[in-house]
Each structure stands twice: as structure tokens, then as C-alpha cells.
Amino acid sequence: MKKHFIKVVLSCAVIVGGISSCKNSSSSSSKNVSRATGWKINSKEGGFQYNSDFKEQETPPGTVFIEGGTFTKGKVQDDIMHDWNNTPTQQHVQSFYMDETEVTNKMYMEYLDYLKKVYPPENPMYENIYKGALPDTLVWRNRLGFNETMTNNYLRHPAYAEYPVVGVNWVQATQYAEWRTDRVNEMQLAQEGYIQEEALYKVLNGESEGTFSTEAYLNNPESVYGGEIDSLQGKQKKDSISTFAKRSSGVIMPEYRLPTETEWEYAAQALVGTREYNNYRGRKKYPWEGDYTRNGQRVGRGDQLANFKQGKGDYGGIAGWSDDGADITAQVKSYKPNDFGLYDMAGNVSEWVADVYRPIVDDEISDFNYYRGNIYMKKAIGEDGKVKVLSDSIVYDTLPNGKIVAMNLPGEIKEVPVGEEETYLRTNFSKSDNRGYRDGDPGSSRFFERFSDDADDNRKMYDSPKHKVERDSTGKILRQYDTSNYRTSLINDEVRVYKGGSWRDRAFWLDPAQRRYLPQYMATDDIGFRCAMSRVGSKSKTKNKTVRHKKAR
């Protein structure tokens, strides 16, 4: 019987130690050949299509790259306020991007301009979209101070264009981030040829009936621009066949959002610029090196390194001599950035972060990307099997202070809480709303509902007053105050953390570890915000696999 042999050609190479390494030439390292099956990828004949040309995530507009790592969150030093809410814990943060400055008046005015043009407030259906996004300029008023100049001018006057926006509550800040996500991705798709750049301005000029939503585009692209997406296709459209970008295209950026408290504190400390071990253990006091607020270097010696209140009645120092250059807020980039390239991570304005406030930081359950505030949602699916797009439906909410805000914009996808189908027999989460998970409250125990009765609500740890505020059909505010006498806290699931000192604060609050809280519907003249975005892919932008492999050998 004649034997048949398959000739296998081996390619060999001599490496360290004289040991030869051989590989089968039939297997290819080509990115367009599957290492699982050997089949061709992205072949003209068909088969599996995959984006093999993706390099790495581009730095989003207005942000800088923050390489993740480990650090000590909280303070090691004695807490003179005795809050006991920033106990030091060792945490690890994944790489992300963060705005190099706070969101400025000019940046926020662009948002307001877009809303006013696309959703004109004279239309009764859209009336509260624009009004709900307006900052509260009355935060500047003081019963024993003359501040009307800021009340009337701070937001809109060009003299304050590059000053941080204030009077914005937490809800408005998150909605700005959502709007920014859609505008940046809309521009990305235009630059990559998936849509015409003119489409962006047709919406602004009222020539298009609908708008663009990132999630709507990814899940139901035919619904974007009021169903006119086919006529607005870019150069990617071939042979009259619409071509839509997907997540696998690598074009769509992750969402802009508020940074988590852990991300903000890590970015503010900027340990990347230090090699002192004690700093990694939580000994770094400010975003800059040293224990003082004045510049100790030869150039600029004695200058203040941040905009803060230096003493009673002293918001800027002695004019022309020991002045920090600002009495209220200062123009962004007025002071040197920290070692990450971030400006004003101490002073100027405090900043909203994403987290729900609790005095407890539970590092036993999580020491990686710690965040309290998860509410897991899923996309609502219609009878046709497609996600539901809220074309004309707008859900408004009346905040406890009477302000009406739109909870969604037309063209966005409807979302509903996850249910038993997603939580059954899971070990990592068991319900949609996890804001109160392991916060010390009896209600955070897994089977609390089995043993509760109507009176148990009175024994909750975080039982702030529950006022009910509504507006009737005429717009009149209807207030129903909680008159119960057993409320023992001002903390609830709508109270958010804000970080960093401001122009109103003494140097004590400039420490990145300090944390305070405020109801998410309230705004002040010394709290602003900046956005962040998660990084997908590699931890470092400068990673070199070859070098690391050589070091391992």
C-alpha cells in the first residue's frame, strides 16, 4: 500500500541559547488570517469581516490621557474635621481621559445654543428642554453683598468666556456630557465618511426633522435624523447600499461622562510625576509637589499655585504684591497644570463627580475602578424586535427645587431597568439599582425584603426627608413637605460627591482626598465640572511589547 505524505515546510530561527524555534509555514501571523480556523478574514469572497486596521483610541477633543495605576485614596494624615469619611484605601484605576480644564462658559453656551436652535423653546413641546439646561445665575446673589454684576454677566459676557461655568447642578452636568457624546460621535462619523458633514448643520438650521443619537445610530440607524439617514450617507455608501458604522468599526467613541470620585482623586494627585514612596502611600498633600501653596521654584517664587481663599476677607491677596490673580473664579489655565497636564485640580471651582455620597468606602468588595452609583439599564425592545426610539416622546421631571428638566431628548433610545432575566443566579449583581449596596444600611443586605414590614422604613440609616414637589397644568409649584419626626440624615441616593477646593475655600479643601456632598439638584457659585471618558484597549499609549518581552527574558 502506497503511503501518502503531506510535506510540511518548517521555517526555523536560532534564538537565545542556540535553541531553534520552528513554526508551521501553513499558519500565518497575518492579521487577515484567523488563528482559530486558518480561514481568511476580510476576504473579497465573503466570510468573517473584522476591523483589523484599528490602531488605538484617539484622544477625545478637549481631554488629556490619564494612564491608570494604583494609589492610596483618602488621607493618611489626621483629619482635623473628624468626618471619618475618607479613610485611606488602596485602589487601582483603569486608564481614562479627562478634560484638561473645567467646562467653561463658552463650552456650555455652545450646548445651550444647540438646544435653542434644535428644540426652540417657543414650541410648547420643547419649552422646558432649553429652560431646564440653563445654569442658575442667581447663585451669585448674597443678601449682604453686591454681586449683581456676576448675576447678569458671568455666564454670557465674552469677558468670562474661558471661566468655568457655575450654577450647574449634577443632573445638568450629566446631561451636558450625554449631549457632548452625540456631537463628538456625529463629527467622527462625518470625518470617516459615514454621514455627510452637511447633516450636522441641517439639524441646526432646521432642515432635518430629527437629530443624531449615538445609541440610536448603533442600535437602530434607520431612526436617526428622523428616518432620513439614507439621504445623508457619506462616501462610505456604495452602490446605493447604506453603510453604517458599528462598534466594531472603531469609529464610535465611548461616552463622555462625569469622572468617578476615584478617577478624579487619582488624576488630581498626579503621582506619575513623583518617585517618592510616601506619596504613593497617600502623603502627597496637593496636586503639586510640596506642602505649601506658594511656588518654591526660582522662577515665580512666592506665587500662589491655585485660586483659593487665603483668609477671612482675603480672596486674592494684596493687589500688585501678593495677589493670586483672581477674586472670584479665574480664567482656566491661569495656573500651572499638574503632572498629568490637568489645570485647576485644586482651587478655582470645586467639581461634581459621578458618585452617590456615602461616608463608607467599601474597599473590601471593590478595589478596582471603585464607584458607587450603578443603576443597570437595558434597551427597551418593541414588538418588531427593534429597540424603541423616543421620536416625539419627552419625559420631564420636576426636581425638588421646582426646576423642570427633560430626562430624554427626542430621538434617544428608551431604557428600562434590568429584570430577573438578567439577574437570575448571578453572583456579581442581583438588581438594577445598586446605589445603596453595602452602605451600612440594613436595607442593603441581600434578603432584607423577606423580613421587612411597613415600619422598617423608619429605621433606615440614610432616611433623609422625602419632600414631594410637582407642577400643575398652569405651572404652579405644588409642595408637599415631609413632616415626619424620625428623619435622621440629609444623605440619600440623590446626594452626590463634589471634590476639590474652590475660590471660596481655604487651603484645607485643596487636598484631592477631601470630599463633600450636595443634593444633585442644587447648584452653587463655586461648583463646576469637567468630563471624562474611559479608555478602551491598552493601558498605556506608549506600551512596547518587544521591550517588555526582552525584559522578561
Side-chain angles (χ1 to χ4, degrees):
M1 181 178 180
K2 187 177 180 180
K3 296 182 178 179
H4 298 273
F5 295 94
I6 300 176
K7 185 178 180 181
V8 178
V9 180
L10 299 178
S11 60
C12 302
V14 179
I15 57 175
V16 179
I19 302 174
S20 63
S21 174
C22 303
K23 65 178 182 179
N24 192 329
S25 63
S26 64
S27 69
S28 173
S29 61
S30 170
K31 60 186 178 181
N32 286 323
V33 175
S34 168
R35 291 194 295 112
T37 63
W39 283 44
K40 292 181 180 180
I41 298 175
N42 301 324
S43 65
K44 296 180 180 179
E45 294 80 6
F48 182 47
Q49 301 294 311
Y50 195 78
N51 181 9
S52 301
D53 295 324
F54 181 76
K55 303 300 180 184
E56 69 172 20
Q57 182 178 354
E58 296 181 5
T59 301
T63 69
V64 296
F65 174 67
I66 311 294
E67 182 173 347
T70 186
F71 80 114
T72 299
K73 178 181 179 181
K75 290 182 67 68
V76 173
Q77 297 95 329
D78 290 336
D79 185 357
I80 62 173
M81 299 293 288
H82 299 293
D83 285 337
W84 303 109
N85 69 350
N86 58 351
T87 303
T89 65
Q90 191 78 3
Q91 297 285 337
H92 192 96
V93 181
Q94 213 168 2
S95 297
F96 61 102
Y97 299 87
M98 180 179 274
D99 277 340
E100 62 175 348
T101 72
E102 297 108 347
V103 171
T104 64
N105 286 317
K106 183 179 179 181
M107 294 167 69
Y108 201 85
M109 284 292 294
E110 182 182 6
Y111 169 51
L112 295 176
D113 179 73
Y114 182 93
L115 294 182
K116 193 170 187 178
K117 288 178 178 177
V118 178
Y119 310 107
E122 56 269 19
N123 184 335
M125 179 180 176
Y126 300 147
E127 178 181 3
N128 288 304
I129 291 180
Y130 176 73
K131 288 183 178 179
L134 287 172
D136 182 5
T137 58
L138 300 185
V139 294
W140 287 105
R141 284 182 171 167
N142 184 325
R143 285 169 290 189
L144 293 178
F146 179 71
N147 297 328
E148 286 303 290
T149 301
M150 279 84 78
T151 300
N152 297 326
N153 293 282
Y154 184 81
L155 174 64
R156 300 183 185 276
H157 198 286
Y160 294 113
E162 296 300 329
Y163 284 58
V165 67
V166 297
V168 175
N169 62 43
W170 184 92
V171 176
Q172 292 172 313
T174 57
Q175 290 178 337
Y176 169 87
E178 293 171 2
W179 167 85
R180 185 176 175 185
T181 299
D182 291 337
R183 302 293 74 77
V184 169
N185 279 326
E186 195 174 13
M187 179 57 73
Q188 282 285 109
L189 292 172
Q191 292 174 347
E192 295 295 328
Y194 286 95
I195 60 176
Q196 301 172 16
E197 189 167 341
E198 292 77 13
L200 285 60
Y201 302 101
K202 284 186 177 181
V203 174
L204 279 173
N205 297 330
E207 299 174 19
S208 176
E209 293 295 328
T211 58
F212 175 90
S213 162
T214 300
E215 289 300 317
Y217 179 86
L218 288 170
N219 292 276
N220 190 355
E222 292 83 4
S223 67
V224 177
Y225 297 124
E228 300 175 7
I229 183 66
D230 284 337
S231 63
L232 299 174
Q233 289 274 299
K235 62 184 179 181
Q236 294 283 357
K237 184 176 182 178
K238 298 178 181 178
D239 301 326
S240 300
I241 299 177
S242 297
T243 303
F244 302 115
K246 304 178 178 62
R247 290 198 193 276
S248 57
S249 303
V251 176
I252 303 293
M253 288 190 174
E255 70 277 2
Y256 282 91
R257 54 180 173 78
L258 291 181
T260 67
E261 180 183 2
T262 307
E263 287 175 334
W264 193 98
E265 188 170 329
Y266 174 81
Q269 286 192 15
L271 299 176
V272 67
T274 184
R275 293 296 180 266
E276 295 184 22
Y277 177 73
N278 281 337
N279 286 345
Y280 286 91
R281 302 302 297 171
R283 295 288 182 180
K284 191 174 183 184
K285 189 173 184 180
Y286 298 116
W288 52 83
E289 284 295 323
D291 296 329
Y292 305 98
T293 62
R294 291 188 181 274
N295 188 356
Q297 298 177 354
R298 183 174 181 179
V299 178
R301 185 184 297 274
D303 290 347
Q304 289 288 5
L305 296 171
N307 173 23
F308 65 100
K309 183 178 180 180
Q310 299 172 35
K312 183 174 178 59
D314 185 357
Y315 289 85
I318 301 174
W321 174 51
S322 181
D323 192 6
D324 67 8
D327 36 32
I328 54 169
T329 56
Q331 182 171 317
V332 296
K333 297 187 178 182
S334 295
Y335 303 90
K336 292 181 179 180
N338 68 7
D339 288 322
F340 275 131
L342 300 169
Y343 294 87
D344 294 321
M345 294 301 283
N348 215 14
V349 291
S350 301
E351 298 177 18
W352 288 113
V353 295
D355 293 57
V356 168
Y357 176 81
R358 291 290 190 273
I360 297 171
V361 176
D362 189 358
D363 64 328
E364 292 183 4
I365 196 67
S366 177
D367 56 4
F368 180 74
N369 286 347
Y370 187 91
Y371 165 65
R372 179 179 292 281
N374 282 314
I375 302 178
Y376 298 122
M377 307 290 285
K378 64 180 180 181
K379 298 170 180 61
I381 306 298
E383 296 180 356
D384 57 357
K386 295 183 178 181
V387 296
K388 290 184 178 180
V389 177
L390 300 169
S391 56
D392 297 320
S393 176
I394 305 174
V395 178
Y396 291 103
D397 186 24
T398 303
L399 302 181
N401 59 357
K403 192 177 186 72
I404 301 176
V405 296
M407 304 310 294
N408 72 279
L409 295 177
E412 294 182 345
I413 283 181
K414 181 180 180 180
E415 292 189 331
V416 295
V418 299
E420 187 176 352
E421 290 183 2
E422 292 79 22
T423 61
Y424 181 64
L425 292 183
R426 283 191 176 274
T427 58
N428 54 336
F429 69 98
S430 57
K431 59 181 181 179
S432 172
D433 190 344
N434 296 274
R435 290 175 294 180
Y437 179 66
R438 286 176 60 95
D439 62 357
D441 191 289
S444 65
S445 60
R446 187 176 178 89
F447 301 111
F448 175 72
E449 292 82 2
R450 296 184 183 179
F451 310 103
S452 64
D453 53 43
D454 294 338
D456 282 334
D457 182 59
N458 301 351
R459 299 197 295 269
K460 288 186 176 181
M461 182 182 299
Y462 304 110
D463 59 349
S464 64
K466 298 179 179 179
H467 307 305
K468 187 177 181 180
V469 180
E470 297 177 327
R471 286 184 182 265
D472 61 18
S473 58
T474 64
K476 182 181 178 180
I477 299 179
L478 304 177
R479 303 179 181 91
Q480 184 177 347
Y481 296 110
D482 186 344
T483 59
S484 56
N485 58 6
Y486 53 80
R487 302 298 186 186
T488 59
S489 173
L490 292 177
I491 302 173
N492 59 27
D493 290 341
E494 281 72 47
V495 167
R496 302 286 173 166
V497 179
Y498 67 94
K499 302 280 283 183
S502 73
W503 65 275
R504 280 192 177 276
D505 293 314
R506 300 292 293 269
F508 172 78
W509 295 106
L510 302 184
D511 187 334
Q514 296 296 350
R515 55 201 303 258
R516 290 174 282 182
Y517 64 90
L518 195 70
Q520 64 186 29
Y521 58 85
M522 295 185 70
T524 71
D525 62 358
D526 61 346
I527 299 181
F529 70 101
R530 72 180 77 207
C531 297
M533 179 186 289
S534 299
R535 176 171 171 82
V536 294
S538 61
K539 175 179 184 287
S540 172
K541 295 182 70 174
T542 58
K543 73 170 187 175
N544 189 322
K545 292 183 178 179
T546 304
V547 173
R548 292 183 180 179
H549 288 172
K550 286 181 178 179
K551 288 181 179 180
R553 293 194 187 109

